[in-house]
Amino acid sequence: MTLPLDSGALAARFESVFGASPAGVWQAPGRVNLIGEHTDYNEGFVLPFAIDRTARVAVRLRPDSTIRLLSTFGNQGLTTADADALSRDTARGWTKYPLGVLWALQERGLQAGGLDLLLDSDVPRGAGLSSSHAIECAVITAVNELAGAGLDARDMVLATQRAENDFVGAPTGIMDQSASLRGAAGHALFLDCRDQGSRLVPFDAESAGLVTLVIDTRVSHSHASGGYAERHASCELGAGALGVRALRDVGLADLEEASGLLDPVTFRRVRHVVTENDRVLQTVQLLEGSGPGAIGPLLDASHASMRDDFEISCPELDLAVEVSRSAGAVGARMTGGGFGGSAIALTPVAAEQQVRAAVGQAFRRAGYPAPDIFAVRPAAGAMRLA
Ligand code: ADP
Ligand code: MG
């Protein structure tokens, strides 16, 4: 992987491309979800943290309506668009994310006009770490400030959700952008997806002698299609049959009765969401009490629930989780929407090399492409760099 450009280098590159200096440089992180999967659109609880991998944007507003966009990734060249004629049908590739944000702002009545934007990101793409929201959150933080829009985090969360749902076409919730916008170093974000209520919870793995390893299986996932939307639909079906507004309103004690009211598949989908919400609450309690070393069994139980009840894992994710655990991780689970992407393994620093080697070897033996394994730490949310 090439090293990310620092803000000075990014501004210099911007100037050589656009012939003027940027008004500033902003960054927003990707995220790892510690626990709470597919609970967000059920108005439940999630516990993600912002990671030390970020999208950075150098931006200046223009006096006309021209938009010029360039990423340091790939050789895609400059994309030009017109702020007065944004269209989800003609936007292509990564430019859907910044253009979607500008479109969502316009839908709220904010005309920022044209801009020049250069993106550099070291958030792995399509690995379940939300490289797309990192871009959107960096862009909205920049434009909010430059255009003096005065949006707070709550507004920006909703605007980026609108961008993903209605411009990009991915039916995602509010977790990823909340983590990216509200995250803080050494903490995870306990988020109630019903009302955006949130609280930072200490997650200082480092001080506890632990490291969070991300194991990117390189099995590509796509939220815009298939399984994700199908699971979403199952949850709505379950909530309807149980007569509640959302599965958030079903408790552990209701599961026995629910089993008699739902078909077996819908029941298992519901059971995942209900037990996962409870695991999030338990994890928060443990982090605020005993600390990160105590949450391993909850991570393991979350994975089992996603594998067996929600059926969103895949053989590569299951292997990564099992092998990490037997090589010394205190807990491991797939993270993100599923069907590929990444697993996380909360690992004692002393066992890190062992876990990395064991997972690599197991993938070789199984004939899978080599996974990308790297450590992440809970880091700051979106901010201005320069
Ligand atoms: P995830 O958000 O889990 O990483 P998505 O499919 O939602 O996966 O978003 C990945 C997309 O984000 C990529 O296909 C690409 O369009 C865009 N993207 C991410 N990082 C960059 C980058 N540095 N340059 C250009 N596009 C990027
Ligand atoms: Mg995404």
Side-chain angles (χ1 to χ4, degrees):
M1 196 192 66
T2 48
L3 283 175
L5 297 176
D6 65 27
S7 53
L10 192 66
R13 178 86 70 94
F14 181 100
E15 194 161 343
S16 75
V17 172
F18 295 114
S21 29
V25 177
W26 288 260
Q27 78 170 8
R31 64 96 189 95
V32 156
N33 191 19
L34 191 55
I35 196 162
E37 221 65 75
H38 287 258
T39 45
D40 63 346
Y41 54 78
N42 289 300
E43 301 187 9
F45 306 115
V46 293
L47 190 63
F49 63 90
I51 58 175
D52 50 344
R53 298 280 195 121
T54 61
R56 274 147 280 107
V57 293
V59 185
R60 71 164 184 144
L61 296 186
R62 294 172 55 95
D64 56 21
S65 67
T66 300
I67 296 171
R68 299 189 293 175
L69 305 168
L70 183 67
S71 169
T72 58
F73 171 76
N75 295 311
Q76 306 170 60
L78 206 63
T79 297
T80 307
D82 182 349
D84 294 335
L86 295 177
S87 155
R88 69 197 101 180
D89 303 321
T90 53
R92 292 277 170 272
W94 76 276
T95 65
K96 282 183 290 187
Y97 302 106
L99 294 177
V101 165
L102 296 172
W103 173 84
L105 290 174
Q106 289 178 0
E107 293 287 296
R108 296 179 69 100
L110 180 85
Q111 303 289 340
L115 53 74
D116 291 330
L117 183 148
L118 175 63
L119 164 72
D120 183 53
S121 173
D122 67 344
V123 185
R125 287 167 302 281
L129 304 185
S130 227
S131 65
S132 62
H133 281 100
I135 298 172
E136 290 163 349
C137 291
V139 171
I140 202 165
T141 305
V143 173
N144 183 39
E145 189 175 334
L146 288 176
L151 303 179
D152 62 13
R154 177 177 294 266
D155 298 328
M156 290 196 274
V157 163
L158 295 177
T160 48
Q161 184 184 25
R162 185 91 207 270
E164 279 256 343
N165 293 172
D166 298 335
F167 197 91
V168 176
T172 51
I174 61 164
M175 170 170 68
D176 301 351
Q177 61 274 57
S178 296
S180 185
L181 292 165
R182 297 178 188 269
H187 290 79
L189 182 79
F190 175 40
L191 176 69
D192 182 338
C193 296
R194 171 157 275 173
D195 61 7
Q196 278 204 49
S198 71
R199 173 166 105 230
L200 289 167
V201 174
F203 178 59
D204 192 355
E206 227 167 339
S207 302
L210 297 166
V211 58
T212 309
L213 291 177
V214 172
I215 302 159
D216 177 3
T217 62
R218 302 184 190 241
V219 178
S220 80
H221 71 95
S222 174
H223 287 177
S225 65
Y228 186 97
E230 203 177 283
R231 295 304 182 278
H232 197 147
S234 281
C235 291
E236 279 181 1
L237 183 74
L242 297 173
V244 292
R245 169 174 146 174
L247 292 183
R248 151 67 173 279
D249 300 310
V250 182
L252 288 177
D254 304 321
L255 281 176
E256 198 179 324
E257 193 190 339
S259 73
L261 296 169
L262 302 171
D263 69 83
V265 172
T266 308
F267 174 67
R268 284 190 289 114
R269 306 295 187 249
V270 167
R271 183 167 62 187
H272 164 71
V273 174
V274 172
T275 57
E276 186 78 351
N277 271 326
D278 183 63
R279 282 185 289 269
V280 175
L281 298 177
Q282 288 189 53
T283 304
V284 168
Q285 226 171 36
L286 286 177
L287 288 178
E288 288 178 336
S290 331
I295 68 171
L298 290 165
L299 302 182
D300 295 345
S302 171
H303 186 79
S305 177
M306 290 187 284
R307 182 191 59 210
D308 303 335
D309 273 356
F310 221 58
E311 295 180 280
I312 54 170
S313 189
C314 64
E316 292 85 349
L317 284 168
D318 291 341
L319 186 65
V321 163
E322 277 156 33
V323 173
S324 300
R325 232 182 264 138
S326 44
V330 302
R333 60 184 285 275
M334 53 150 282
T335 183
F339 308 104
S342 300
I344 53 169
L346 188 60
T347 305
V349 173
E352 176 177 351
Q353 292 315 322
Q354 211 172 308
V355 168
R356 285 176 179 266
V359 172
Q361 192 182 46
F363 271 57
R364 264 194 309 281
R365 282 208 184 121
Y368 300 149
D372 192 14
I373 306 178
F374 51 91
V376 292
R377 333 188 141 90
M383 66 166 92
R384 184 171 188 157
L385 287 179

